[in-house]
Amino acid sequence: MCVDVSVTSNINSQLEFAQYMLEKQVELFNQNLGSEFEKKSAENQVKSIEEMILSFTHFGKMPDAQRVECDLDSFLHEFKETYSPILGQEIYVNSNIKTLVSIDKKLLRDLMYNLAKNGVEANPGENIVLSIDAGHSKNCVTLKISNKGKPIPQPLVERLFEPYLTSKQGSNSNMGLGLSIVKKIALDHESDIELIKNEEGMVTFLVTISV
């Protein structure tokens, strides 16, 4: 498995900090000090920190890629049928790959879902039209995953796959781990992901998977 050591170290240090903060908030809450407003605030912070710890733990426990040969066309259309209702968006698949490819179906599904979910959350209430274009050569499979909508803010682009980086607001932002998970899945497939289009009206990621 290919692992970015700096990412793993950062995850561990942030997890230790989150656990420390959780212990402090629980201690304050149990002391029953302050007004009802302060108690409610402490309770909400405990819940938020617990969610953060769950996100860190999930990232750290992601399994190694278990690649098997599969029909990529069928896999992509199954993804469309399953996740279009979940995301509340149309997903268009353009694929005509006739050969079997070696992938970890669960992890690749997670990768595509995280990219799609990121696009949906960045454009709340919008019909962003998700699309997946698949290509195949002798040594690799490529997936272009696109959504209509706002571009990613330029200050974030160079640090796009760092953990905890997010432009989304509120506790549902999952601490910006979505694209870090995407990057880790790509690395575990001996593959890569890059942002190839980022303009008003269209954002496109290119996933290149070695086969």
Side-chain angles (χ1 to χ4, degrees), residues 98-126:
K98 301 302 183 184
T99 59
L100 297 177
V101 297
S102 178
I103 59 171
D104 184 310
K105 294 172 69 174
K106 182 183 184 305
L107 290 182
L108 189 58
R109 192 180 299 118
D110 287 347
L111 180 152
M112 293 193 299
Y113 174 67
N114 271 286
L115 282 178
K117 180 171 176 283
N118 195 71
V120 171
E121 291 181 346
N123 297 275
E126 300 292 330

Side-chain angles (χ1 to χ4, degrees), residues 127-142:
N127 181 17
I128 64 170
V129 186
L130 298 156
S131 63
I132 303 171
D133 293 278
H136 185 237
S137 67
K138 181 178 180 180
N139 298 317
C140 70
V141 167
T142 59

Side-chain angles (χ1 to χ4, degrees), residues 73-178:
D73 278 1
S74 296
F75 170 77
L76 293 176
H77 282 92
E78 287 171 6
F79 177 86
K80 168 187 174 178
E81 295 302 321
T82 301
Y83 286 95
S84 183
I86 293 173
L87 293 164
Q89 299 285 340
E90 283 290 333
I91 301 176
Y92 294 92
V93 173
N94 179 22
S95 174
N96 192 29
I97 298 175
K98 301 302 183 184
T99 59
L100 297 177
V101 297
S102 178
I103 59 171
D104 184 310
K105 294 172 69 174
K106 182 183 184 305
L107 290 182
L108 189 58
R109 192 180 299 118
D110 287 347
L111 180 152
M112 293 193 299
Y113 174 67
N114 271 286
L115 282 178
K117 180 171 176 283
N118 195 71
V120 171
E121 291 181 346
N123 297 275
E126 300 292 330
N127 181 17
I128 64 170
V129 186
L130 298 156
S131 63
I132 303 171
D133 293 278
H136 185 237
S137 67
K138 181 178 180 180
N139 298 317
C140 70
V141 167
T142 59
L143 298 176
K144 291 182 181 179
I145 302 175
S146 306
N147 66 263
K148 294 183 179 180
K150 298 181 296 185
I152 298 168
Q154 197 58 40
L156 301 185
V157 170
E158 292 184 3
R159 303 172 53 213
L160 199 55
F161 300 105
E162 293 181 12
Y164 331 117
L165 185 71
T166 179
S167 61
K168 292 171 282 186
Q169 301 296 316
S171 61
N172 291 332
S173 65
N174 200 31
M175 297 304 297
L177 283 174

